[in-house]
Amino acid sequence: MEKARPLWANPLQFVFACISYAVGLGNVWRFPYLCQMYGGGSFLVPYVMMLMVEGMPLLYLELAVGQRMRQGSIGAWRTISPYLGGVGLASVVVSFFLSTYYNIINAWAFWYLFHSFQDPLPWSVCPLNDNHTGYDEECEKASSTQYFWYRKTLNISPSIQDSGHVQWEPALCLILAWLVVYLCILRGTESTGKVVYFTALLPYCVLLIYLVRGLTLHGATNGLAYMFTPKGWFSSPVPCLALQLEQLANPKAWINAATQIFFSLGLGFGSLIAFASYNEPSNDCQKHAIIVSLINSSTSVFASIVTFSIYGFKATFNYESCLNKVILLLTNSFDLEDGFLTASNLEQVKGYLESTFPDKYSEVLPQMKNCSLQSELATAVQGTGLSFIVYTEAIKNMEVSQLWSVLYFFMLLMLGIGSMLGNTAAILTPLTDNKVISSHLPKEAISGLVCLVNCVIGLVFTMEAGNYWFDIFNDYAATLSLLLIVLVETIAVCYVYGLRRFEGDLKAMTGRTLNWYWKAMWAGVSPLLIISLFVFYLSDYILTGTLQYQAWDASQGQLVTKDYPPYALAVIGLLVASSIMCIPLVALGTFIVRCLKRGDTPPVA
Amino acid sequence: MYFFSTIICRISHVLLCNVTQRVSFWFVVTDPSKNHTLPAVEIQSAIRMNRNRINNAFFLNDQTLEFLKIPSTLAPPTDPSVPIWIIIFSVIFCIVIVAVLLLILSGIRQRRRKSKGPSEVDDTEDKCENMITIENGIPCDPLDMKGGHINDAFMTEDERLTPL
């Protein structure tokens, strides 16, 4: 007797699963960076347009395929065409790479979360050096938050060649992270369905609390004003509207908007197909696709408002400390009355002192730093640097910093684990669908094996050079491959399977006719967009020449650019090739097997 | 400390000079008996040891009350024997392991119950043969005996089976 396919207990679980998968760390730490780079308010125009044209149609396509085929990615694409099983296999390979390196972020979030229960926070003070006569040298040159990230958390080596050994502290946190993921996926949709209530909803609670706290912080409005003002506004006399239009004409803004929508929704990994395969066939996936993509984008905007109010607070705090240092320096050197120098009359008094005591002023001048709010705000950071360096710097200056720290890293954990559920589902669903494997091993054992293998490989990222390998995986493991996978997917559904046949299937399944808009997007616009993105990425890689990375120099206390060694370039090539080559290889293999079968059996008379 | 056990200084022995608009001044401490100033080094070490008392007297701290050429001694780092993060880590680790084991065990038990389930159904089927089958609340056996005429149009015994 065939076992019925497990289903979501109710459609809400499916929607929450998709939301917790799509709303991930990229919404929090990539979108605000893009907003800042491409002029805040004006970036929303290409972003919303790409959402309409690319995000929603492709999301709907993946959900519809999964719901129709009711199998994981490999089985689904093999059903569409036997030669296209490679697309599913490529998705699984990319998901495997992603889950290997993504969970180390959860491990880091655990590390920071556990360290948040101390007073003072360990990243707010520099440790003392060996003699106890002063602060640690590396910490003095960099800042205490950078020191805690690069030295205490990563214990980073000066270059990718110096691998060092596995650090036991991050390794323990990685094992814990994988145990938590295993706990959530252990029972399949039964356990995942309950966990997604938390991973989808809790981050919004925390974001809301942070929004209220962020907007009430001193200096938050500086950050918000900076976000919504296009770049160059302060320096140029050109009116505001012209600058907004100028940003729109910048092709990079459109490309980055398209890329952000594409990767933010998690298309092409097979997770959405896996989630949708556990749906009732009559589920209205069109409505769900629109809801999920809208929620994903609005979360990005929401998170960037929170991020920019925190930026504004941090920048204002640093600017005021810098001013206070200058005031102290001048007060000490010229023996002025305490309280005489304030931020408002600083420039006047500086001019007066320069004219009255020119010699002494020129002595003091080299020590005086030029404090500028703009330069503090302009430190655009993305990725792990934003969360673990910039945010922690802002948090340490808030009152009751332990509470804010715990809330923030707890939110990061929820976002990360929610995405991991989708990643592992993309790998596990094809494995459990495979009759050979599922007859020999129970579901729990398959999940356990996958988690174990990923954990062991992930220990590479806990070595001293681990963060450099993490950057390699982050930048190259998924980008090109996904574009190609989704392109082949769209062409497969529209032209190989047949758009009209698919439309008929959907109508039979859900009872709703397919809108002309979706058909137009799937057949024409989206593939063209993906092709142009693909061409842009390829040309960008080719034109850049040698690939470089940022290495941490402990003696200087800052990042320096270095070239990748040949074996790292080979690994990058392997990463990209291993997923892309699945598509043609499996097609070729199927063709050969079919030819052989046709050769063996004589045709029936 | 041992200085002040042998020499008792009063305010009149502390002389100020170079007082500026800013609350800063130079001072020397004179020795009451020998009428000369105490060496700076001794005063510096005395201030270093009593820094806390001096700060508290003014409700200030090392950042707001500065003695030039007397660096503040930095507080030694508090190193608990077991780092706090390991304690929290162990607690959460144990909870997760217990939860995983519970789920796995309950899954195994469910599967064992399911595999026992079909064999129990077979026993009841044997018992059924001795029971009277009931359909629609009417026992089947009596239906064959009472009530109901046999329709001859459908029941011609000769033609019941079509020949091969």
Side-chain angles (χ1 to χ4, degrees):
Chain A
M1 195 177 68
E2 251 189 61
K3 263 196 295 184
R5 190 174 183 79
L7 294 173
W8 298 109
N10 54 53
L12 197 61
Q13 280 188 1
F14 167 64
V15 176
F16 278 168
C18 290
I19 290 177
S20 76
Y21 168 66
V23 173
L25 296 167
N27 299 66
V28 170
W29 70 33
R30 173 105 178 122
F31 184 79
Y33 168 76
L34 288 176
C35 248
Q36 197 173 8
M37 293 298 286
Y38 298 108
S42 51
F43 182 70
L44 288 178
V45 172
Y47 187 71
V48 170
M49 282 203 60
M50 287 299 162
L51 173 68
M52 296 284 145
V53 160
E54 182 198 1
M56 277 191 212
L58 291 175
L59 180 65
Y60 182 31
L61 181 70
E62 288 224 355
L63 291 183
V65 166
Q67 194 170 305
R68 163 75 184 85
M69 304 302 164
R70 311 203 75 216
Q71 292 179 75
S73 50
I74 299 183
W77 295 108
R78 215 187 294 151
T79 314
I80 288 202
S81 158
Y83 296 102
L84 284 178
V87 175
L89 189 60
S91 294
V92 173
V93 170
V94 173
S95 288
F96 179 72
F97 290 147
L98 183 74
S99 53
T100 310
Y101 82 78
Y102 200 86
N103 222 12
I104 191 77
I105 305 175
N106 289 333
W108 291 331
F110 267 122
W111 169 264
Y112 270 81
L113 180 67
F114 296 149
H115 278 88
S116 306
F117 292 96
Q118 295 172 23
D119 182 34
L121 289 172
W123 53 81
S124 56
V125 284
C126 270
L128 303 178
N129 59 17
D130 295 324
N131 298 347
H132 287 207
T133 50
Y135 293 118
D136 186 284
E137 201 186 308
E138 189 180 351
C139 196
E140 289 268 271
K141 295 221 176 77
S143 65
S144 54
T145 46
Q146 281 180 316
Y147 176 79
F148 187 76
W149 170 241
Y150 286 112
R151 191 52 48 213
K152 292 286 168 150
T153 312
L154 300 174
N155 196 12
I156 205 164
S157 61
S159 74
I160 199 171
Q161 283 96 326
D162 314 314
S163 309
H165 51 270
V166 172
Q167 313 289 313
W168 65 270
E169 297 107 334
L172 277 182
C173 291
L174 182 66
I175 293 175
L176 177 64
W178 273 111
L179 275 174
V180 171
V181 170
Y182 181 53
L183 178 66
C184 299
I185 61 173
L186 188 48
R187 289 280 198 81
T189 46
E190 199 188 308
S191 51
T192 311
K194 298 199 178 54
V195 171
V196 292
Y197 283 115
F198 295 104
T199 56
L201 291 175
L202 278 180
Y204 287 100
C205 295
V206 177
L207 271 178
L208 199 62
I209 297 175
Y210 255 94
L211 181 73
V212 173
R213 175 78 265 232
L215 288 177
T216 53
L217 283 173
H218 167 64
T221 40
N222 292 337
L224 288 176
Y226 186 74
M227 170 181 160
F228 286 109
T229 319
K231 287 227 148 343
W233 167 235
F234 291 102
S235 52
S236 109
V238 178
C240 187
L241 189 60
L243 273 172
Q244 301 252 7
L245 292 176
E246 184 187 296
Q247 275 301 323
L248 286 181
N250 180 6
K252 281 219 154 195
W254 292 89
I255 290 172
N256 274 304
T259 316
Q260 173 63 13
I261 287 279
F262 190 86
F263 291 120
S264 175
L265 285 172
L267 303 165
F269 286 103
S271 315
L272 295 164
I273 296 182
F275 281 152
S277 69
Y278 298 118
N279 266 340
E280 300 266 352
S282 54
N283 184 41
D284 184 7
C285 51
Q286 175 185 283
K287 181 175 74 172
H288 291 153
I290 297 178
I291 293 177
V292 170
S293 47
L294 280 178
I295 290 184
N296 182 47
S297 297
S298 28
T299 309
S300 293
V301 177
F302 184 38
S304 59
I305 294 181
V306 174
T307 304
F308 274 93
S309 44
I310 305 266
Y311 263 161
F313 164 71
K314 173 184 101 72
T316 311
F317 187 88
N318 287 346
Y319 171 66
E320 285 176 359
S321 320
C322 176
L323 276 182
N324 284 336
K325 282 204 192 102
V326 171
I327 289 176
L328 188 66
L329 178 66
L330 285 176
T331 317
N332 274 343
S333 328
F334 294 97
D335 280 331
L336 302 167
E337 187 186 330
D338 250 332
F340 175 65
L341 259 183
T342 59
S344 35
N345 64 9
L346 183 62
E347 292 302 314
Q348 283 176 311
V349 176
K350 265 162 76 172
Y352 164 73
L353 288 173
E354 192 170 2
S355 47
T356 1
F357 309 103
D359 316 316
K360 212 167 182 190
Y361 191 78
S362 50
E363 272 175 30
V364 174
L365 193 58
Q367 299 171 39
M368 274 201 318
K369 274 208 277 186
N370 233 349
C371 300
S372 151
L373 185 60
Q374 282 306 305
S375 62
E376 293 281 341
L377 283 170
T379 49
V381 193
Q382 59 163 335
T384 49
L386 172 57
S387 288
F388 297 112
I389 300 179
V390 172
Y391 250 90
T392 46
E393 198 178 318
I395 288 174
K396 78 175 194 224
N397 298 324
M398 294 187 199
E399 280 115 54
V400 202
S401 36
Q402 281 79 7
L403 171 69
W404 301 110
S405 178
V406 167
L407 270 180
Y408 177 67
F409 289 110
F410 186 66
M411 176 189 77
L412 277 193
L413 264 177
M414 290 288 108
L415 290 173
I417 289 185
S419 301
M420 278 306 292
L421 295 180
N423 295 334
T424 45
I427 305 174
L428 282 177
T429 310
L431 286 178
T432 47
D433 286 345
N434 186 325
K435 297 194 178 39
V436 172
I437 299 178
S438 57
S439 58
H440 283 117
L441 291 171
K443 207 173 17 179
E444 288 91 342
I446 302 177
S447 328
L449 269 176
V450 168
C451 289
L452 184 67
V453 169
N454 274 317
C455 187
V456 167
I457 299 180
L459 287 177
V460 167
F461 302 110
T462 58
M463 292 199 294
E464 287 180 24
N467 195 40
Y468 302 130
W469 290 107
F470 173 82
D471 282 333
I472 285 185
F473 271 73
N474 196 20
D475 291 336
Y476 303 108
T479 37
L480 267 180
S481 332
L482 277 182
L483 287 170
L484 192 65
I485 289 173
V486 176
L487 181 65
V488 175
E489 282 183 5
T490 327
I491 294 179
V493 170
C494 291
Y495 300 108
V496 175
Y497 189 75
L499 189 55
R500 220 159 284 183
R501 187 172 159 201
F502 194 61
E503 186 184 350
D505 286 345
L506 282 181
K507 180 145 193 217
M509 202 170 62
T510 61
R512 285 179 189 80
T513 43
L514 198 57
N515 199 337
W516 64 267
Y517 178 72
W518 304 118
K519 285 190 270 190
M521 292 298 126
W522 289 349
V525 181
S526 304
L528 285 174
L529 249 177
I530 300 176
I531 291 176
S532 51
L533 277 181
F534 193 70
V535 165
F536 163 75
Y537 265 99
L538 267 182
S539 53
D540 199 43
Y541 284 153
I542 294 171
L543 286 174
T544 324
T546 47
L547 297 169
Q548 295 177 317
Y549 69 104
Q550 303 278 72
W552 176 253
D553 188 344
S555 53
Q556 289 180 44
Q558 59 180 23
L559 293 166
V560 292
T561 319
K562 290 196 178 161
D563 287 334
Y564 276 125
Y567 66 86
L569 293 174
V571 168
I572 294 176
L574 259 178
L575 277 178
V576 178
S578 54
S579 44
I580 291 185
M581 292 310 287
C582 287
I583 306 178
L585 282 178
V586 169
L588 193 63
T590 320
F591 181 68
I592 292 177
V593 164
R594 284 205 155 181
C595 276
L596 288 173
K597 270 202 195 144
R598 229 176 281 152
D600 282 344
T601 57
V604 181
Chain B
M1 283 294 207
Y2 70 93
F3 283 106
F4 291 147
S5 61
T6 52
I7 309 171
I8 299 170
C9 287
R10 304 215 181 280
I11 282 184
S12 47
H13 297 133
V14 180
L15 306 172
L16 305 176
C17 61
N18 262 4
V19 180
T20 57
Q21 264 191 319
R22 182 147 196 265
V23 183
S24 77
F25 47 83
W26 291 92
F27 68 94
V28 290
V29 182
T30 52
D31 186 336
S33 53
K34 296 174 193 163
N35 219 14
H36 64 81
T37 56
L38 294 169
V41 183
E42 294 173 3
I43 305 294
Q44 278 175 3
S45 44
I47 292 179
R48 262 188 124 148
M49 284 198 279
N50 289 297
R51 194 66 187 270
N52 243 356
R53 282 174 64 193
I54 301 175
N55 281 346
N56 282 334
F58 295 108
F59 294 110
L60 296 171
N61 55 30
D62 279 359
Q63 273 79 39
T64 37
L65 177 62
E66 189 188 0
F67 287 91
L68 290 176
K69 293 186 200 162
I70 303 181
S72 45
T73 45
L74 300 164
T78 48
D79 244 345
S81 51
V82 181
I84 300 180
W85 76 271
I86 288 194
I87 301 175
I88 306 176
F89 169 81
S90 325
V91 167
I92 302 209
F93 193 76
C94 293
I95 295 177
V96 171
I97 292 231
V98 165
V100 166
L101 287 173
L102 275 177
L103 275 183
I104 293 181
L105 286 174
S106 70
I108 294 178
R109 219 178 300 146
Q110 255 183 15
R111 221 169 290 129
R112 248 186 238 151
R113 222 178 289 149
K114 267 197 209 151
S115 59
K116 266 193 221 151
S119 57
E120 285 171 1
V121 169
D122 288 335
D123 292 338
T124 48
E125 271 180 359
D126 291 330
K127 290 185 204 152
C128 262
E129 281 178 354
N130 300 327
M131 288 171 54
I132 306 168
T133 46
I134 297 182
E135 251 181 74
N136 283 341
I138 310 168
C140 290
D141 295 333
L143 276 175
D144 293 333
M145 308 297 152
K146 350 177 186 168
H149 296 275
I150 296 175
N151 194 341
D152 291 327
F154 284 90
M155 283 286 287
T156 42
E157 299 216 28
D158 303 330
E159 290 172 350
R160 197 157 330 146
L161 295 168
T162 48
L164 276 169

